[in-house]
Amino acid sequence: MRIFVTGATGFVGSAVVEELINAGHQVIGLSRSDAGAKALIATGAEVHRGDLKDLESLRSGAAKSDGVIHTAFIHDFSKLAENCEIDRIAIEALGSELEGSDRPLIVTSATGLLAGGRLGIEDDAPASIIPRVASEEATFSVAKRGLRASVLRLPPSVHGDGDHGFVPLLIGIARQKGVSAHVGEGLNRWAAVHRLDAAHLYRLVVETGAAGVRYHAVAEEGVSFRDIAAVIGRRLNVPVVSLTPEEATNHFGWFAHFAALDNLTSSQRTRELTGWQPKQPGLIPDIDRPRYFET
Ligand SMILES: NC(=O)c1ccc[n+]([C@@H]2O[C@H](COP(=O)([O-])OP(=O)(O)OC[C@H]3O[C@@H](n4cnc5c(N)ncnc54)[C@H](OP(=O)(O)O)[C@@H]3O)[C@@H](O)[C@H]2O)c1
């Protein structure tokens, strides 16, 4: 297949590009910079210059393809609502180009949108009021128009070399504050996946995925936050401390919501539907390496 990948230069998207090319697919990677274009060419992908805000660039990329994997997102959390709206409009543009064909559209979402405190499953609609629900709403809106559109939810930690997500952020906070903290007993859990396992699932879904389905790229249903904080404390040689919710707001700032998130999530249905079997190291052994703690 010839697959248009948005976010092709990102942490997740670059793994998807590599996975697709290794499996014999052709990739058209979206890039908004010369540096990104150069990196894509080096992997064997074709470059499509454009931007999430340039809808014509998204439509023309999709027009050249047999399917689209959408992983691009503007990660400026100070403008989250605005960026989620940009994502909604981008998904609608990609969908409008693919409409009337059997070409798949796979949109990235997050298991963090599910109701916490119980095992989240693929059929669960997003419960969170976080504006990121816009990505799933847009996907199901275009799927209703007969498009083979589906959602692939990623857990709070997608880990592996090159990670610049939530675990590196926690390491940065612990380094700055001189303590590695968890909220209460730290028994809240984060689902997790290695980026290479996630990339493999994107490929399976673009090859065989059905319309209107939510897939979970979850290798581990729930790793306790206390275990994550313990690795960080030991590696940085700082105390591991328990905070009250009020103290956590002060300590973690905007990240306090995620530090307290209990995101136990199943991928049983995804595995049944696709045959996906994650093979890479789990979150704790993966982050318990010097590489995660290089400054
Ligand atoms: N990593 C995680 O732990 C995690 C967990 C849950 C969900 N997710 C979701 O997974 C997806 C991929 O995340 P990631 O970790 O790979 O993010 P990332 O490394 O920050 O990559 C983001 C990608 O989006 C592109 N992008 C940003 N602004 C753009 C714009 N205005 N126009 C076009 N492209 C733009 C970036 O291009 P440049 O290279 O040009 O900046 C990059 O390719 C996102 O939807 C993210 O929210 C990630």
Side-chain angles (χ1 to χ4, degrees):
M1 288 172 76
R2 198 165 144 77
I3 301 158
F4 180 42
V5 180
T6 73
T9 54
F11 174 62
V12 173
S14 59
V16 172
V17 169
E18 200 181 323
E19 167 77 26
L20 293 172
I21 288 176
N22 288 343
H25 294 292
Q26 287 175 277
V27 171
I28 308 164
L30 180 70
S31 177
R32 56 187 176 142
S33 72
D34 290 343
K38 205 171 152 196
L40 281 172
I41 289 166
T43 65
E46 184 185 323
V47 175
H48 182 79
R49 293 300 288 255
D51 192 286
L52 279 176
K53 297 179 204 164
D54 174 1
L55 300 184
E56 194 37 50
S57 73
L58 300 181
R59 284 193 207 99
S60 56
K64 289 193 275 188
S65 76
D66 301 316
V68 176
I69 295 177
H70 176 51
T71 71
F73 192 77
I74 306 173
H75 284 125
D76 175 354
F77 286 93
S78 70
K79 294 183 184 159
L80 186 60
E82 192 183 311
N83 294 333
C84 291
E85 202 45 37
I86 290 170
D87 202 48
R88 179 201 296 277
I89 295 166
I91 292 163
E92 281 165 2
L94 291 166
S96 69
E97 184 56 47
L98 299 175
E99 213 174 316
S101 74
D102 191 39
R103 294 176 293 163
L105 168 65
I106 292 100
V107 170
T108 305
S109 180
T111 64
L113 298 174
L114 300 176
R118 65 178 185 85
L119 185 69
I121 61 168
E122 288 85 342
D123 282 346
D124 289 338
S128 170
I129 50 154
I130 294 175
R132 187 71 197 261
V133 296
S135 310
E136 292 202 14
E137 285 171 359
T139 309
F140 287 98
S141 154
V142 296
K144 275 191 196 135
R145 304 206 299 264
L147 191 74
R148 189 147 73 90
S150 55
V151 159
L152 192 149
R153 288 177 177 151
L154 294 173
S157 181
V158 181
H159 53 93
D161 290 349
D163 188 355
H164 53 97
F166 285 176
V167 170
L169 197 142
L170 282 173
I171 293 170
I173 295 172
R175 197 173 259 131
Q176 189 200 344
K177 307 256 171 169
V179 292
S180 177
H182 51 74
V183 186
E185 291 183 76
L187 297 180
N188 60 303
R189 297 148 294 185
W190 279 8
V193 71
H194 193 284
R195 72 191 271 269
L196 299 182
D197 283 325
H200 183 53
L201 181 61
Y202 276 97
R203 173 165 75 79
L204 295 176
V205 173
V206 80
E207 289 172 349
T208 63
V213 175
R214 300 180 183 99
Y215 298 90
H216 282 180
V218 167
E220 293 174 282
E221 288 189 347
V223 179
S224 87
F225 197 88
R226 185 164 66 181
D227 290 347
I228 300 169
V231 173
I232 296 173
R234 178 166 42 77
R235 285 270 173 192
L236 292 181
N237 198 20
V238 297
V240 179
V241 297
S242 161
L243 303 180
T244 64
E246 295 71 33
E247 289 167 338
T249 304
N250 187 38
H251 179 87
F252 291 110
W254 67 270
F255 194 70
H257 164 79
F258 295 103
L261 191 68
D262 191 32
N263 188 231
L264 191 68
T265 312
S266 166
S267 58
Q268 191 185 326
R269 177 123 180 86
T270 298
R271 293 177 197 228
E272 286 165 4
L273 287 172
T274 64
W276 180 62
Q277 284 295 341
K279 295 188 173 68
Q280 300 296 325
L283 176 62
I284 295 299
D286 196 28
I287 66 173
D288 196 358
R289 295 182 294 142
R291 196 161 189 164
Y292 257 88
F293 295 85
E294 285 164 3
T295 45

